[in-house]
Amino acid sequence: INNYQIIAMMGDVDIAYNKTTRTVFSWWTWTTNPNSIFRPDCAGFDNFNKTMAAQTVAPAILMAMFFLTWSVSQVTAYFLKMPDLAMERNRLLNVFFSLILTFFAGIHAMAF
């Protein structure tokens, strides 16, 4: 996905591309902005400030979801006395940061 994110960002460069190249570059924009797949204006994110706030807070919300999942697994493993149900913290952090790294190009593109 990282290669496609770079292709999408190349479409934002101030260079005059031919129509075919511009079409190919614009097709991959969903990789840098997953919100473009959905219609955020239907959910009330119809202006720049609301959209920017939602995109900025999204990684923190994702982190909270990962922490909540980890916490539930720890509590469940404790009460059921089944230690195999407890998620390993290092693996969960690896998954979280791998996901953040995957969409880092999109986070970076949002900054400009």
Side-chain angles (χ1 to χ4, degrees), residues 1-9 25-37 102-107 109:
I1 193 167
N2 202 1
N3 294 328
Y4 302 123
Q5 290 170 335
I6 292 170
I7 289 171
M9 288 191 307
F25 286 168
S26 67
W27 192 85
W28 292 105
T29 56
W30 66 270
T31 61
T32 57
N33 185 9
N35 279 342
S36 66
I37 300 171
T102 299
F103 292 104
F104 179 74
I107 295 169

Side-chain angles (χ1 to χ4, degrees), residues 10-51:
M10 286 175 55
D12 293 336
V13 177
D14 192 22
I15 296 175
Y17 295 112
N18 63 27
K19 184 179 178 183
T20 305
T21 305
R22 173 75 55 195
T23 303
V24 169
F25 286 168
S26 67
W27 192 85
W28 292 105
T29 56
W30 66 270
T31 61
T32 57
N33 185 9
N35 279 342
S36 66
I37 300 171
F38 307 108
R39 298 201 45 187
D41 51 332
C42 291
F45 299 105
D46 52 352
N47 65 19
F48 176 77
N49 291 337
K50 291 179 183 178
T51 303

Side-chain angles (χ1 to χ4, degrees), residues 53-93:
Q55 289 177 347
T56 303
V57 174
I61 293 171
L62 184 65
M63 181 188 289
M65 289 171 47
F66 270 75
F67 180 74
L68 180 66
T69 304
W70 177 80
S71 300
V72 168
S73 77
Q74 298 299 314
V75 170
T76 305
Y78 177 77
F79 283 116
L80 295 179
K81 296 181 178 33
M82 298 177 72
D84 292 337
L85 289 179
M87 296 177 87
E88 191 175 313
R89 181 178 50 118
N90 291 331
R91 287 186 183 173
L92 188 69
L93 286 174

